[in-house]
Amino acid sequence: MNKLPHVAIVGATGAVGREMLVCLSERNFPLSKLTLLASARSAGKKLTFRDEELTIEELTADSFNGIDIALFSAGGGISEKFGPLAAEAGCIVIDNSSAFRMDPGVPLVVPEINPEAAANHPRNIIANPNCSTIITLMGLAPLHKAFGLTGIIASTYQAVSGSGAQGIAELESQIKALASGAPIEKKVYPHQIAHNVIPHVDAFQETGYTKEEQKMLHEGRKILNLPDLKVTCTCVRVPVMRSHSISLTAIFEKDPSVAEARATFSDRAGVKLVDDPASDLYPVPLDTTGQDDCLVGRIRKDQVLPNALALWVVGDQVKKGAALNAVQIAELL
Ligand code: A2P
């Protein structure tokens, strides 16, 4: 791309869409024009970008004429319908939904891990991975490089932001209702999420796992180019606003010591070690909220499996789990 690109955000009013505006601005992303697209409900409303008020337009089939890069975050149905239209119009689509992630003609990219994959995008679509998968792999990639990852046993503690703006609104309203004694309303989750945890993220499959849990397996294999990687995952929704935490047992070809494992994080972009339990220092979700970097800590030898480490990874779901990763992919272009 020789000239500065004309960029669009599809789903600009959503939790991730709004964060994309923040990331483009914070990173001083070079662009000639930014177009904001959302549903007819939002058309005509305004959002601020770099001190300028931009008017939101309704997404239509004609929205992509002249647009070079479109960051999609309006749900899988919108991506399936409008992504290919945008790609045919010559626009490169960076899609935050799961619609195209496992398509062999669509690269699935975490820029710190497999940036080279972004160069080959025959369908003009590049997929942004699942948020828990991105954050997990940010913690595991340095260890994989040093010791050769063969398996993952994961339990996630996923923030309500993963359900979009409605998930955040539901937790906020339930917290207020609990404080005031008002009745609890549930729309997004099958159970009250305030003061609770729900071991159910996305739809259950015949295997007993949920779709979200299977994403860690299939997307992890594709991003790391490890077709035989073994993954068992339990995904849990917790009453946290916007950072995901993941408890991991990671199994390797080599047998790493804790000191060797810690050393792999010494000069990695996008991930930092916070691991001094004696001083109560370990990653917590509030510490990564609004931050670009993922944090890793609690690294210790697994007491059950050989060649295995237990660890804890935390990252901002809206940022590195979604908006930031998408903007970093756009930077690769
Ligand atoms: P709108 O605010 O106009 O409904 P979230 O994941 O945080 O819920 O955000 C979803 C995003 O997807 C919002 O920006 C929302 O816009 C957008 N969206 C939902 N339905 C459509 C649609 N039919 N056409 C375009 N954008 C849509």
Side-chain angles (χ1 to χ4, degrees):
M1 231 167 264
N2 295 323
K3 65 179 178 65
L4 289 185
H6 178 175
V7 177
I9 299 177
V10 179
T13 51
V16 171
R18 284 171 190 267
E19 196 68 33
M20 285 171 167
L21 282 158
V22 172
C23 291
L24 289 170
S25 179
E26 278 179 356
R27 300 175 74 82
N28 211 9
F29 187 92
L31 50 82
S32 58
K33 186 175 173 192
L34 182 63
T35 294
L36 304 182
L37 300 165
S39 77
R41 294 178 291 275
S42 304
K45 292 184 188 160
K46 293 184 191 301
L47 286 174
T48 304
F49 176 66
R50 292 180 183 159
D51 299 329
E52 201 185 329
E53 289 221 308
L54 301 181
T55 304
I56 297 163
E57 298 169 30
E58 180 184 355
L59 171 67
T60 69
D62 298 326
S63 295
F64 300 98
N65 294 331
I67 290 178
D68 301 300
I69 299 174
L71 306 170
F72 270 66
S73 192
I78 297 292
S79 294
E80 276 169 19
K81 184 170 171 194
F82 291 95
L85 290 176
E88 278 159 30
C91 171
I92 297 182
V93 171
I94 300 171
D95 184 40
N96 193 43
S97 82
S98 60
F100 307 107
R101 286 180 191 151
M102 296 316 298
D103 184 323
V106 173
L108 184 63
V109 179
V110 181
E112 292 88 346
I113 300 175
N114 62 338
E116 67 290 343
N120 185 19
H121 45 80
R123 292 193 58 190
N124 264 5
I125 301 174
I126 302 174
N128 209 33
N130 165 262
C131 45
S132 296
T133 305
I134 294 178
I135 295 164
T136 297
L137 296 188
M138 286 298 292
L140 289 180
L143 298 167
H144 167 53
K145 197 170 169 214
F147 313 116
L149 187 68
T150 59
I152 305 170
I153 302 168
S155 293
T156 70
Y157 301 67
Q158 297 188 214
V160 292
S161 58
S163 313
Q166 284 186 323
I168 296 171
E170 181 142 317
L171 177 56
E172 278 172 348
S173 80
Q174 289 184 358
I175 290 169
K176 281 185 195 144
L178 284 169
S180 66
I184 297 283
E185 283 186 32
K186 296 187 302 239
K187 290 194 204 123
V188 178
Y189 302 112
H191 302 275
Q192 175 182 321
I193 183 64
H195 295 189
N196 208 3
V197 299
I198 306 174
H200 175 183
V201 181
D202 209 337
F204 284 104
Q205 311 289 285
E206 274 181 14
T207 54
Y209 287 87
T210 65
K211 264 190 182 173
E212 183 87 353
E213 290 160 355
Q214 293 301 84
K215 286 174 192 170
M216 184 87 82
L217 167 69
H218 298 300
E219 297 185 24
R221 286 179 171 178
K222 182 167 175 174
I223 295 161
L224 296 176
N225 196 17
L226 287 177
D228 297 325
L229 182 70
K230 293 188 168 60
V231 179
T232 286
C233 182
T234 303
C235 287
V236 182
R237 188 73 66 193
V238 297
V240 167
M241 284 302 171
R242 57 175 274 172
S243 278
H244 286 358
S245 308
I246 302 104
S247 169
L248 292 164
T249 291
I251 305 137
F252 302 96
E253 285 162 7
K254 296 183 195 154
D255 189 16
S257 71
V258 170
E260 286 169 330
R262 286 183 174 153
T264 65
F265 293 96
S266 60
D267 59 350
R268 292 288 300 210
V271 60
K272 289 207 166 56
L273 188 70
V274 179
D275 198 8
D276 184 5
S279 309
D280 297 336
L281 281 178
Y282 34 73
V284 293
L286 281 180
D287 287 350
T288 57
T289 295
Q291 304 296 316
D292 289 358
D293 287 343
C294 296
L295 304 179
V296 174
R298 299 289 325 275
I299 299 181
R300 58 216 191 271
K301 294 291 282 184
D302 188 272
Q303 292 186 332
V304 177
L305 295 167
N307 293 12
L309 295 169
L311 64 152
W312 174 250
V313 186
V314 183
D316 185 313
Q317 183 274 331
V318 193
K319 272 215 143 163
K320 185 57 188 168
L324 171 63
N325 200 73
V327 169
Q328 288 175 308
I329 293 173
E331 287 171 351
L332 291 176
L333 299 173

